[in-house]
Amino acid sequence: MVQKAKILLVDDRPENLLALEAILSALDQTLVRASSGEEALKALLTDDFAVILLDVQMPGMDGFETAAHIKRRERTRDIPIIFLTAINHGPHHTFRGYAAGAVDYISKPFDPWVLRAKVSVFVELYMKNCQLREQAALLRLQLEGGGKAAIGDTKEPAGLLAELSARLAAVEEQAEALSKQLDDDSADAAAVATAAHLERKLTGLRRALDALEPGTGNSPAMPSQN
């Protein structure tokens, strides 16, 4: 089972963090607080996050500088960042946010329903990627174990391949439904691109799995997890 996704909330004002928690609690995910850029970077050293909500105006290390550090780290550079700001300084300020690596830039006060919907998209994409990594790990066990791997009880190759195929099919179906939802809702370009990347990885994993079917005689390379 995939664990709950973690969402990082970064704001120097406790009342703003409390408001974000109230808005996002309905998603039933793990909400992690950080009251500064430095505290956010420390949290990112040990935990994986589905999305980061990052306040722009903070004393010391502001949101732009924090985002720059996040994007420079290989471990964290692909985590979506949604900037939140109480002051709208115009197009130039917004452009700076996107240039720093944000997938979205929202001015306060914001619509709670809109913010929750945007965050839920990235949480769902994160969960699908976790499922994909699980399928890849099972397939790697199959390849490295010489035809057997542990999924509960040890299974013969044919039974294992059938189970892997069924699990992968379930993820493929969910990913297809998510892509259709993004198209229908005219979602952010970053979310659509992330979903397309997920589908490409699923396609690569499906090809690798199909090549293991009896009679193919192939030894496929594992699909990239980047």
Side-chain angles (χ1 to χ4, degrees):
M1 295 295 294
V2 179
Q3 296 181 347
K4 291 183 178 182
K6 291 184 178 180
I7 302 171
L8 184 58
L9 313 176
V10 189
D11 199 303
D12 63 298
R13 300 177 66 89
E15 62 270 25
N16 290 342
L17 290 171
L18 188 62
L20 287 173
E21 287 175 338
I23 292 169
L24 300 175
S25 61
L27 298 179
D28 193 29
Q29 305 300 325
T30 302
L31 306 178
V32 179
R33 283 188 175 201
S35 58
S36 67
E38 292 85 354
E39 190 174 334
L41 294 176
K42 184 179 295 186
L44 288 162
L45 287 174
T46 55
D47 290 326
D48 294 325
F49 292 90
V51 61
I52 302 170
L53 275 63
L54 180 58
D55 184 42
V56 173
Q57 305 292 330
M58 294 188 295
M61 184 184 296
D62 66 13
F64 296 131
E65 187 177 355
T66 302
H69 282 287
I70 292 171
K71 293 302 177 182
R72 279 199 292 266
R73 293 178 178 176
E74 184 176 357
R75 173 188 171 90
T76 59
R77 63 187 178 191
D78 293 326
I79 302 176
I81 298 174
I82 298 177
F83 272 132
L84 304 175
T85 179
I87 304 174
N88 188 352
H89 292 286
H92 176 73
H93 203 252
T94 303
F95 175 77
R96 185 182 176 191
Y98 287 116
V103 298
D104 210 339
Y105 193 98
I106 303 176
S107 297
K108 304 174 186 176
F110 44 78
D111 186 330
W113 293 94
V114 171
L115 180 63
R116 190 184 301 118
K118 289 177 180 290
V119 171
S120 68
V121 168
F122 290 107
V123 167
E124 193 165 357
L125 288 171
Y126 173 82
M127 301 295 267
K128 295 298 180 290
N129 272 292
C130 287
Q131 289 178 302
L132 177 59
R133 285 195 294 270
E134 179 186 350
Q135 310 312 315
L138 290 171
L139 181 56
R140 186 175 291 109
L141 284 173
Q142 164 69 21
L143 294 173
E144 294 176 352
K148 291 185 178 181
I151 306 180
D153 296 329
T154 302
K155 299 188 176 184
E156 292 301 321
L160 176 62
L161 288 175
E163 181 164 347
L164 286 173
S165 182
R167 292 190 183 193
L168 181 56
V171 179
E172 288 170 331
E173 183 178 351
Q174 294 170 353
E176 182 180 357
L178 178 60
S179 295
K180 290 180 179 178
Q181 177 186 336
L182 292 175
D183 290 340
D184 294 340
D185 295 343
S186 300
D188 297 330
V192 174
T194 302
H197 181 56
L198 174 61
E199 287 192 337
R200 287 195 297 272
K201 292 199 289 184
L202 283 170
T203 300
L205 187 56
R206 170 59 68 185
R207 288 173 179 168
L209 189 58
D210 288 346
L212 289 173
E213 290 293 335
T216 60
N218 294 327
S219 179
M222 286 301 301
S224 170
Q225 293 303 299
N226 297 323

